[in-house]
Amino acid sequence: MASGTDPDEWAQQLTFTPMTVESAHVIADTWKYPAPYDFYDTTADRDDYEEFISPDQWPSHFWQVHHGGDLVGFFTAEPSGDETVQEISLGLHGP
């Protein structure tokens, strides 16, 4: 979010849609984080990479997040143990 941007207005422009193979590849192949966060680069671990780009290995809920036309994030949610607990993961990427 750009400095001086109204957070509420920015948030109202977010859209959440199911993950697509195309967006999964964009995230997995191009999103890189500076050290010490480079551990989160999908390419840092081959097994993680394969899981991220393979729809048959995706969790039950896997969403992409756009702001305007820009892919800015993703999140997953899946049951963990009993049905009342959800395990979530997310990733965000700035310009």
Side-chain angles (χ1 to χ4, degrees):
M1 180 171 47
S3 177
T5 302
D6 177 14
D8 290 332
E9 184 178 320
W10 190 87
Q12 290 173 3
Q13 296 176 26
L14 294 174
T15 58
F16 301 82
T17 57
M19 182 60 72
T20 63
V21 172
E22 179 182 8
S23 290
H25 273 280
V26 168
I27 294 166
D29 296 333
T30 66
W31 286 18
K32 305 296 178 196
Y33 301 93
Y37 306 105
D38 54 346
F39 171 83
Y40 294 107
D41 291 355
T42 311
T43 53
D45 180 287
R46 187 69 184 165
D47 290 337
D48 288 347
Y49 178 83
E50 289 298 325
E51 180 179 344
F52 201 90
I53 63 167
S54 302
D56 60 326
Q57 296 186 45
W58 289 351
S60 54
H61 302 285
F62 193 15
W63 297 84
Q64 58 186 314
V65 183
H66 287 85
H67 181 264
D70 298 324
L71 180 61
V72 297
F74 70 90
F75 71 94
T76 68
E78 60 185 326
S80 177
D82 70 61
E83 294 296 316
T84 63
V85 178
Q86 293 285 315
E87 181 177 326
I88 63 168
S89 62
L90 60 93
L92 299 172
H93 194 262

